[in-house]
């Protein structure tokens, strides 16, 4: 009551206050304070009316005696007279001058006041004023609303606490790539799924959560709620990624195609950029089924969709890279061209850790013999790795283990070929014993072993084993250089040239004769046509050379990356790399003179000596050196944005397969993406979940749909 009275006393004019904030809009306490407060009856010295008497103009002033009418009140601010009961209790349709605009005709005040005092509205409003508070209806309603609101908010607090636990369980399973439900479609008492089991465990320790999950109105452990929570968390993560991308100076789009468990081609999309704190990240932003259309136009359209979704302008999208199956690889140049038409700054670069895969795939896919060779060798690896019994049998013949094959990992193919060639006789002996000892193995194993043994005994197989061992001996060296020298583009270019030269030397007749002779020695006395295998030999080597040249021909466009190679700061100080600066300015918008001066200072300062590109970015930001080194910071962020190292999208699929294996076959595409996002971007999810606002925002998102429980405060 005291607070309400104070609020009234602070008002300059009580009449104006009521006009601006009607009586009906106030709380019960405020209404009672207003009713009990004195009626405003100021002198109204400025209120007067003119009239003519015997040809002279006269004025009549307001006389305070008029306040004998207890209902009359005045406003010096408006210079008008009002009816206090009507001012407070007027109905919505009431249009009396005494309660809306005010009365100011002093000449007719007496007659007008008598007329108003006898009106039905005035009598009704006067009665309301005189009897207000005797039954305390408004006050009772006010208290009832307050009690209801408090009770509602208490219920909301409990419900939101329960929802927070459900979100925590969802995040836990999502970040670890674990199944939400059981392996079987039908739920049993012993196999209810990880989600329900964890919720049950928490409920044992937390009675309030037990009450929440036992609520029959809202089943928080149902599959529908699980899916919706996954969706809400996924959308929140995408919002966070969108904000990070908006703050970044540059971005690169990365796409990778891989078949899922249903043999459908899934195109995973990622963006690489540098966060505001100088940390380079790669974020998953999409998963698209491209089984029906893998054309260059379709893939380029997906790039445009991603760019539009994250507001990537022509200047901001600075790189594009694609990896995956041969079908996608065949469209690469078309995709690159179409994307470059829309985003002129989006240079095309392979993830150099993967590019050798494409060289291999192309060198094999266009030749039936080499394609059959690699497919069957892969089957050999699967034959032993997928059976513990067969694998145990192999251990009786050789110490090393045949590695499983990953189609997108060059190192695995290389290691497999080397191990098979090195242990050729042992593997053949093992396969022979398996199909000879038919009683110890099932029919399928015996049949497969016989076929693989026959394949290994063919001269074509022995010859190609020898050939690819020679090729891998050169490409493995290049692979290591590309992995470790991503900033030294000149070194990478030189290594590519050395690899090309070494493989070109293999075309020499003496090299062929040596390899052919070794194959003949291993195969025994089988007669073969030398010319046929000379043609095959030349075709394989020339295809590898063509692919190396085509895939790496644009690598020189990125020489500017070497400007921040810390191993060359000393030499750059002595001889400034003007050529590299020219290379940069040719492809991107930089102030050449300012960048040259900044780099000159950077090369000469001990503070920058030995720092990586990422460390340079952090030093500039932490030491507030953005203004003096603005162009250098821009260059560093550009270099970090270029996808020159192993793509995170490649690593994601090991987790993605785990998720797919546990999900129901009816899982929707959208839910699959959100699950993948939670698993792949587990670090991001764990980081944002540390903020309490994360849970409130996810619950608010969840509450946008009509729910059977109250989740929003009043």
């Amino acid at each position: 009551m005291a607070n309400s009275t104070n609020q009234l006393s602070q008002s300059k004019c009580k009449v104006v206050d009521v006009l601006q904030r009607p009586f009906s809009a106030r709380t019960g306490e405020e209404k009672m304070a207003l009713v009990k407060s004195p009626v405003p009856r100021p002198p109204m010295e400025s209120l007067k009316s003119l009239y003519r008497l015997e040809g002279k103009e006269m004025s009549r002033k307001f006389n305070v005696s008029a306040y004998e009418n207890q209902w009359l009140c005045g406003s010096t601010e408006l210079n008008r007279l009002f009816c206090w009961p009507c001012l407070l209790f007027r109905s919505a349709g009431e249009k009396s001058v005494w309660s809306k605009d005010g009365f100011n005709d002093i000449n007719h005040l007496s007659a007008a006041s008598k007329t108003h005092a006898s009106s039905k509205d005035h009598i009704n409003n006067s009665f309301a004023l005189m009897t207000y508070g005797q039954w305390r209806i408004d006050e009772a309603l006010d208290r009832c609303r307050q009690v209801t609101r408090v009770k509602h908010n208490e219920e909301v607090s409990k419900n939101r606490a329960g929802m927070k636990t459900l979100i925590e369980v969802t995040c836990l399973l999502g970040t670890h790539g674990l199944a939400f439900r059981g392996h079987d479609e039908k739920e049993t008492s012993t196999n209810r799924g990880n989600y329900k089991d964890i919720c049950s465990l928490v409920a044992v320790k937390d009675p309030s959560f037990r009450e929440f999950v036992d609520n029959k109105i809202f089943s928080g452990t149902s599959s529908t709620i699980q899916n919706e929570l996954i969706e809400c968390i996924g959308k929140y993560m995408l919002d966070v990624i969108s904000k990070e991308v908006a703050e970044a100076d540059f971005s690169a789009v990365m796409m990778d195609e891989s078949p899922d468990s249903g043999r459908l081609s899934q195109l995973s999309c990622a963006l690489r950029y540098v966060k505001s704190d100088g940390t380079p990240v790669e974020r998953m932003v999409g998963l698209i089924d491209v089984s029906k259309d893998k054309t260059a136009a379709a893939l380029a359209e997906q790039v445009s969709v991603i760019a539009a979704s994250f507001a990537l302008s022509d200047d901001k999208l600075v790189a594009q890279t694609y990896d995956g199956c041969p079908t996608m690889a065949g469209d690469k140049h078309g995709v690159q061209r179409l994307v470059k038409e829309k985003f002129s700054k989006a240079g095309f670069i392979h993830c150099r850790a993967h590019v050798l895969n494409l060289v291999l795939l192309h060198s094999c896919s266009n030749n039936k013999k080499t394609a059959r060779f690699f497919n069957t060798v892969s089957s050999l690896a699967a034959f032993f790795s997928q059976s513990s019994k067969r694998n145990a049998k192999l251990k009786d013949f050789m110490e090393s283990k045949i590695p499983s094959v990953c189609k997108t990992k060059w190192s695995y193919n290389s290691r497999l070929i080397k191990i098979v060639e090195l242990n050729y006789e042992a593997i053949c002996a093992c396969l022979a014993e398996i199909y000879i000892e038919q009683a110890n193995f099932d029919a399928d194993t015996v049949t497969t072993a016989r076929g693989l043994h026959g394949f290994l005994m063919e001269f074509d197989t022995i010859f190609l084993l020898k050939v690819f061992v020679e090729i891998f001996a050169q490409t493995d060296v290049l692979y290591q250089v590309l992995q470790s020298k991503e900033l030294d583009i000149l070194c990478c270019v030189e290594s590519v040239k050395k690899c090309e030269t070494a493989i070109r030397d293999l075309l020499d007749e003496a090299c062929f004769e040596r390899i052919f002779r070794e194959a003949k020695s291993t195969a025994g006395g089988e007669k073969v046509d030398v010319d046929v295998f000379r043609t095959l030999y030349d075709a394989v080597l020339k295809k590898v050379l063509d692919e190396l040249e085509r895939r790496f021909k644009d690598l020189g466009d990125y020489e500017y990356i070497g400007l921040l190679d810390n191993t060359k700061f000393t030499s750059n100080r002595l001889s400034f790399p003007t050529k590299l600066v020219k290379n940069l300015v040719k492809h991107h918008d930089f102030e050449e003179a300012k960048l040259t001066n900044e780099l000159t200072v950077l090369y000469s300062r001990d503070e920058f000596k030995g720092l990586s590109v990422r460390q340079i970015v952090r030093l500039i930001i932490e030491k507030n050196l953005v203004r003096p080194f603005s162009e250098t910071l821009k260059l560093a962020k550009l270099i970090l944005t270029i996808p020159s190292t192993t793509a995170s999208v490649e690593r994601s699929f090991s987790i993605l397969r785990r998720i797919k294996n546990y999900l129901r076959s009816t899982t929707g595409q959208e839910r699959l993406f959100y699950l993948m996002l939670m698993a792949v971007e587990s670090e991001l999810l764990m980081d944002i979940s540390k903020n309490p606002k994360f849970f409130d925002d996810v619950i608010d998102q969840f509450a946008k749909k009509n729910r059977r429980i109250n989740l929003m405060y009043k």
Side-chain angles (χ1 to χ4, degrees), residues 13-58:
C13 179
K14 194 182 298 185
V15 173
V16 173
D17 181 50
V18 174
L19 288 171
Q20 292 177 348
R21 187 163 172 247
F23 184 81
S24 59
R26 300 169 184 253
T27 65
E29 291 184 356
E30 291 175 327
K31 290 177 180 178
M32 183 58 67
L34 197 57
V35 168
K36 291 185 175 182
S37 65
V39 178
R41 293 173 178 146
M44 305 295 291
E45 296 176 352
S46 299
L47 182 60
K48 58 183 179 180
S49 297
L50 299 177
Y51 67 96
R52 298 188 69 85
L53 180 63
E54 297 180 356
K56 294 182 180 181
E57 190 175 81
M58 308 290 287

Side-chain angles (χ1 to χ4, degrees), residues 349 352 485-494 555-562 565 644:
I349 184 171
R352 292 193 292 278
K485 298 289 186 180
E486 66 267 16
L487 290 182
D488 193 346
I489 298 298
L490 295 178
C491 177
C492 292
V493 172
E494 186 63 27
L555 195 57
D557 293 342
Y558 297 92
E559 289 181 353
Y560 61 80
I561 293 179
D565 184 354
S644 57

Side-chain angles (χ1 to χ4, degrees), residues 294-308:
K294 298 181 183 179
T295 62
L299 298 180
E301 179 61 26
Q302 295 301 333
V303 175
S304 299
V305 170
I306 294 296

Side-chain angles (χ1 to χ4, degrees), residues 135-152:
W135 293 282
R136 304 280 183 171
I137 296 176
D138 288 337
E139 184 177 348
L141 290 174
D142 223 25
R143 289 180 179 177
C144 182
R145 293 190 194 99
Q146 181 67 18
V147 171
T148 303
R149 183 165 57 250
V150 171
K151 186 176 180 181
H152 171 87

Side-chain angles (χ1 to χ4, degrees), residues 655-670:
I655 299 176
L656 182 57
R657 288 196 188 98
R658 289 173 58 194
I659 297 174
K660 292 175 180 176
N661 290 336
Y662 290 116
L663 292 179
R664 294 182 175 180
S665 59
T666 56
T667 298
Q669 181 71 25
E670 186 177 10

